[in-house]
Amino acid sequence: MSSLSRTRAEFEAAWHSFIRRRTAVFFTFFFPVILIVIFGALVTTDPTGGGLFTEPSEYYLAGYLAVVVLFTPISRVGSTVARHREGNRFEKLATTPLRRTEWLLAHTLVNAVLVGIASAILIAVLWALTDATFTLSPLLVPFVLIGSAVFCGIGAILGRVADSQDGVIAAANTIALPMLFLAETFVPPDLLPGWMGPVIDLLPLTYFSRGVREVTVAGGPWTTDLAILSGLALAFFLTGAYALPETD
């Protein structure tokens, strides 16, 4: 059985496992709609002409996509790793030809598909319910897929170091929530203290939001952001695969 066959088999198993959990399916794809409705109302409500959420609607497309790219992979992969550890699944997998890199690649591909579908729903809802004007660039695809891979790797690391599924969720929220608002998503950098500039540049999500904004709104250079995001994806994927336990 080749590496491709093993990865495909694990992908199909992980996909069917997700499809069987109807609540997870519902909230994975309905969450973008809730997000647009809530933040869309905030963006279009600007009685004073200042403060947060006063940029044009299209400015926040990168932020909306960042929510899906960040939270879906980091929580799903982290919880899956923790659940496998609690059920001694990795000990059983160690008796099969499936390698840790193949296991994580399969789950990364599943999450990339889910994030891609959720992102498409989000863009459609944003287009239908707001006055946002942006370019639907094909470059969105690599940014979404590679961004998902970054946080799948981080999720695998959290699943390894946390002691339970609840611990994974707590750790994921502790990392993701500050990153969501600091990584040039919903809050423009000029509204943040100047000393936070170096911190912003250290956040993986920053290069996703910058790149997405360049290809959809600003029309500026995006290659550096995509290159850095790709390097981070490779680094976190390899670290996450190495962190996966062979036995429990």
Side-chain angles (χ1 to χ4, degrees):
M1 192 176 188
S2 67
S3 176
L4 179 61
S5 299
R6 292 192 298 268
T7 302
R8 178 180 177 180
E10 181 63 26
F11 173 90
E12 292 176 350
W15 177 261
H16 289 299
S17 175
F18 169 77
I19 293 297
R20 287 194 295 267
R21 297 198 297 273
R22 296 180 181 179
T23 302
V25 173
F26 177 79
F27 282 104
T28 296
F29 298 131
F30 186 65
F31 181 68
V33 179
I34 301 175
L35 187 71
I36 292 295
V37 171
I38 294 175
F39 277 89
L42 291 173
V43 170
T44 55
T45 302
D46 183 20
T48 63
L52 300 178
F53 309 116
T54 57
E55 297 290 334
S57 298
E58 56 269 18
Y59 177 90
Y60 300 100
L61 172 62
Y64 297 142
L65 292 176
V67 173
V68 180
V69 167
L70 173 62
F71 280 96
T72 299
I74 199 171
S75 60
R76 289 197 72 254
V77 172
S79 296
T80 300
V81 172
R83 186 168 61 251
H84 276 45
R85 290 178 61 202
E86 292 172 358
N88 296 321
R89 290 287 302 278
F90 285 112
E91 186 172 344
K92 298 173 184 176
L93 286 175
T95 64
T96 72
L98 187 68
R99 299 187 179 96
R100 288 180 291 179
T101 52
E102 295 166 349
W103 185 94
L104 184 55
L105 176 59
H107 286 264
T108 298
L109 292 174
V110 169
N111 279 275
V113 173
L114 296 178
V115 170
I117 296 173
S119 296
I121 295 172
L122 189 152
I123 291 172
V125 172
L126 182 66
W127 218 321
L129 299 184
T130 73
D131 59 353
T133 56
F134 52 87
T135 302
L136 196 58
S137 170
L139 291 169
L140 276 173
V141 175
F143 272 103
V144 168
L145 297 182
I146 295 172
S148 299
V150 170
F151 295 104
C152 282
I154 295 176
I157 297 169
L158 293 181
R160 180 65 175 88
V161 300
D163 57 359
S164 66
Q165 292 186 61
D166 290 339
V168 168
I169 298 301
N173 288 335
T174 300
I175 293 173
L177 286 175
M179 190 185 305
L180 180 63
F181 290 97
L182 294 177
E184 299 188 14
T185 50
F186 296 105
V187 182
D190 57 358
L191 294 182
L192 298 172
W195 60 266
M196 296 194 70
V199 176
I200 294 173
D201 290 336
L202 291 175
L203 302 177
L205 193 63
T206 298
Y207 301 98
F208 172 83
S209 58
R210 284 176 181 170
V212 167
R213 194 166 286 121
E214 293 294 349
V215 302
T216 58
V217 179
W222 49 267
T223 52
T224 299
D225 294 311
L226 186 60
I228 294 175
L229 197 66
S230 300
L232 291 171
L234 180 61
F236 281 117
F237 177 86
L238 293 177
T239 305
Y242 179 79
L244 294 176
E246 292 184 348
T247 59
D248 294 290

